[in-house]
């Protein structure tokens, strides 16, 4: 039998040293290769190719029901999350051509408010199916068309009465009676008022999105045009008598009227500048212009100046139709001012809480 010979101590130690040297050599080689690769990657422009991202777009389905009987009108499918309600209205118009987007009213609930066109569909979604209720708003008109029509009528109607057409007044009486200067001043002030409104509608005011029903424009035109005809008929009548206190009453009233018109204009310019600059998070503050200092007392100074214009016009002409019209305008504008004042209180409470809505000192 052959026995395995044990290695001697020196040989055993030399083998261990050789093994240890080999291990140390392999570790040094791996470290050197790692350092070299890091150097190459840091010095070069080698970058790993980006992994392709697979995005899954979720579409919504909008179910439109009749608000009266809850019957389904149509389903607008494949609506992207970034779409707005106006996009849905356009797709709804393609499915139902008889309803234009401007006359389509959509609600989340049957008795809820109408949703704005700028509302995002994703903000309304609870699930992939969105249910909306449809209401036919009727024939609609734009706000610019609404105000231009409403203000152009009084301007032209008053001028027709001012030139004293033969179909309105007796030409013999018109030639006999002398026109008092207040008649010419009244025509100038009345035309100035509505020309200012027309120019501000075109170049200053920025109207909110959407439209208004045609019937509202008809009612507004009937009110303004009808009262203008009544007012102009009395002031330009051949038998018209001047105010009781004569020239002094007319002079002070004209001065007040012009100041109110200027104040109304500057207030509208200030409000428009605030809207255009995007500074809607603070209450409008007065500027160096003295006409804007009324912001310190009231929250709606444009209505204050508008009421002052018609009160001054009433004093200047001293006629009953103008007084009735001014009274109705003050009531209407006070209601608008109260409504706007409540909105200001919700948004700017510390700044508005000690102000009046339209009439100074009455809190």
């Amino acid at each position: 039998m052959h026995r395995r010979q044990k290695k001697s101590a020196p040989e055993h130690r030399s083998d261990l040293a050789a093994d240890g040297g080999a291990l140390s050599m392999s570790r040094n080689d791996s470290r050197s290769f790692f350092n070299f690769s890091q150097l190459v990657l840091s010095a070069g422009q080698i970058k790993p190719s980006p992994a392709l991202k697979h995005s899954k777009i979720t579409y919504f389905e909008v179910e439109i029901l009749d608000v009266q009987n809850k019957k389904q009108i149509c389903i607008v499918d494949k609506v992207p999350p970034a779409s707005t309600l106006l996009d849905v209205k356009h797709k709804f118009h393609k499915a139902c051509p008889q309803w234009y987007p401007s006359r389509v009213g959509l609600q989340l609930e049957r008795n809820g408010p109408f949703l704005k066109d700028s509302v995002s569909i994703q903000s309304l979604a609870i699930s992939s199916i969105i249910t909306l209720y449809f209401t036919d708003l009727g024939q609609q008109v734009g706000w610019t068309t609404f105000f231009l029509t409403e203000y152009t009528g009084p301007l032209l109607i008053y001028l027709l009465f001012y030139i004293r057409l033969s179909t309105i007044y007796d030409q013999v009486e018109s030639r006999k009676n002398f026109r008092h200067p207040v008649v010419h001043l009244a025509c100038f002030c009345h035309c100035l008022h509505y020309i200012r409104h027309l120019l501000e509608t075109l170049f200053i005011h920025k109207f909110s999105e959407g439209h208004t029903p045609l019937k509202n424009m008809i009612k507004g035109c009937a009110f303004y045009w009808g009262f203008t005809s009544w007012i102009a008929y009395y002031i330009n009548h051949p038998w018209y008598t001047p105010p009781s206190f004569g020239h002094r009453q007319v002079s002070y009233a004209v001065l007040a009227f012009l100041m109110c018109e200027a104040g109304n204009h500057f207030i509208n310019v200030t409000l428009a500048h605030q809207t255009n600059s995007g500074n809607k998070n603070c209450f409008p503050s007065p500027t160096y212009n003295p006409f804007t200092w009324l912001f310190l007392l009231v929250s709606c100074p444009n209505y204050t100046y508008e009421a002052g214009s018609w009160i001054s016009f009433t004093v200047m002409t001293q006629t009953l139709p103008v007084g009735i019209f001014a009274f109705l305008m003050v009531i209407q504008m006070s209601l608008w001012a109260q409504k706007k004042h409540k909105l200001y209180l919700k948004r700017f409470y510390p700044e508005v809480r000690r102000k009046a809505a339209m009439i100074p000192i009455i809190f």
Side-chain angles (χ1 to χ4, degrees):
M1 291 180 67
H2 297 280
R3 294 180 179 177
R4 183 180 295 177
Q5 295 181 354
K6 295 182 179 179
K7 294 182 180 181
S8 60
E11 292 176 352
H12 182 63
R13 290 173 182 173
S14 62
D15 292 338
L16 290 176
D19 294 337
L23 290 173
S24 63
M25 288 291 292
S26 63
R27 291 175 180 174
N28 291 334
D29 291 340
S30 63
R31 289 176 181 175
S32 299
F33 179 76
F34 177 76
N35 293 333
F36 178 75
S37 63
Q38 290 293 325
L39 179 63
V40 171
L41 290 175
S42 62
Q45 298 295 329
I46 302 175
K47 293 183 180 181
S49 59
L52 295 177
K53 297 182 180 180
H54 301 281
S55 59
K56 184 178 180 181
I57 300 177
T58 303
Y59 291 98
F60 295 102
E61 289 186 358
V62 180
E63 181 187 22
I64 299 179
L65 307 179
D66 194 330
V67 72
Q68 295 180 354
N69 51 27
K70 293 186 179 181
K71 290 183 179 180
Q72 184 185 96
I73 300 177
C74 73
I75 293 180
V76 181
D77 57 353
K78 292 186 178 180
V79 179
S83 299
T84 61
L85 201 68
L86 183 60
D87 300 328
V88 175
K89 288 183 178 181
H90 283 291
K91 292 186 177 182
F92 177 63
H93 172 57
K94 291 181 179 180
C96 304
Q98 67 271 26
W99 289 308
Y100 293 92
S102 61
R103 66 184 297 170
V104 173
L106 297 177
Q107 305 161 273
L108 273 177
E109 300 176 357
R110 296 184 67 185
N111 297 325
F114 290 108
L115 300 173
K116 294 183 178 180
D117 292 343
S118 59
V119 173
S120 173
I121 292 298
Q122 194 170 12
S123 64
L124 304 176
I126 300 177
S127 62
S128 60
I129 299 177
I130 304 173
T131 302
L132 298 176
Y133 294 94
F134 161 75
T135 301
D136 184 9
L137 300 177
Q139 187 65 36
Q140 304 286 303
V141 294
W143 284 110
T144 303
T145 304
F146 176 89
F147 288 112
L148 289 179
T149 307
E150 193 175 67
Y151 296 144
T152 303
L155 179 63
L156 299 178
I157 290 172
Y158 197 97
L159 291 176
L160 291 177
F161 283 91
Y162 176 73
I163 62 178
R164 291 183 175 178
L165 294 176
S166 59
T167 56
I168 301 175
Y169 302 112
D170 182 66
Q171 289 298 312
V172 177
E173 293 291 336
S174 299
R175 294 193 185 107
K176 285 182 180 180
N177 295 332
F178 171 76
R179 290 199 191 191
H180 194 273
V182 70
V183 176
H184 303 292
L185 285 174
C187 180
F188 170 78
C189 293
H190 192 274
C191 293
L192 177 67
H193 178 79
Y194 284 101
I195 289 174
R196 178 184 63 81
H197 274 304
L198 290 172
L199 293 178
E200 289 177 353
T201 300
L202 292 173
F203 303 109
I204 294 179
H205 293 305
K206 300 297 181 182
F207 299 105
S208 59
E209 62 181 11
H211 301 74
T212 185
L214 178 63
K215 60 181 181 181
N216 289 346
M217 189 181 74
I218 295 175
K219 290 190 293 185
C221 291
F223 176 77
Y224 279 98
W225 294 14
F227 263 103
T228 300
S229 301
W230 192 23
I231 291 170
Y233 177 80
Y234 270 82
I235 297 177
N236 296 285
H237 198 280
W239 292 353
Y240 170 76
T241 55
S244 303
F245 296 96
H247 180 71
R248 180 178 298 179
Q249 178 178 341
V250 174
S251 301
Y252 288 149
V254 169
L255 181 61
F257 178 87
L258 295 177
M259 291 181 64
C260 289
E261 288 293 306
N264 201 341
H265 171 72
F266 289 122
I267 292 295
N268 290 330
V269 170
T270 302
L271 294 175
H273 177 72
Q274 183 190 27
T275 303
N276 296 336
S277 61
N279 191 15
K280 296 182 180 180
N281 297 324
C282 60
F283 181 75
S285 57
T287 63
Y288 63 89
N289 191 333
F291 289 102
T292 63
W293 295 350
L294 199 57
F295 272 121
L296 300 173
L297 300 176
V298 297
S299 59
C300 304
N302 51 330
Y303 295 136
T304 307
Y305 282 123
E306 184 79 8
S309 295
W310 285 112
I311 293 173
S312 302
F313 195 75
T314 303
V315 176
M316 178 176 58
T317 58
Q318 195 174 318
T319 54
L320 180 63
V322 181
I324 295 176
F325 181 74
F327 176 74
L328 295 177
M329 288 296 292
V330 169
I331 293 177
Q332 181 61 72
M333 285 183 289
S334 64
L335 295 177
W336 289 340
Q338 288 292 337
K339 184 178 180 180
K340 197 171 183 179
H341 185 70
K342 290 180 181 179
L343 296 177
Y344 281 149
L345 285 175
K346 292 180 181 179
R347 297 177 58 188
F348 318 112
Y349 175 74
E351 301 176 72
V352 186
R353 65 186 181 92
R354 301 188 68 87
K355 300 179 187 294
M358 189 181 80
I359 304 176
I361 306 174
I362 299 179
F363 292 91

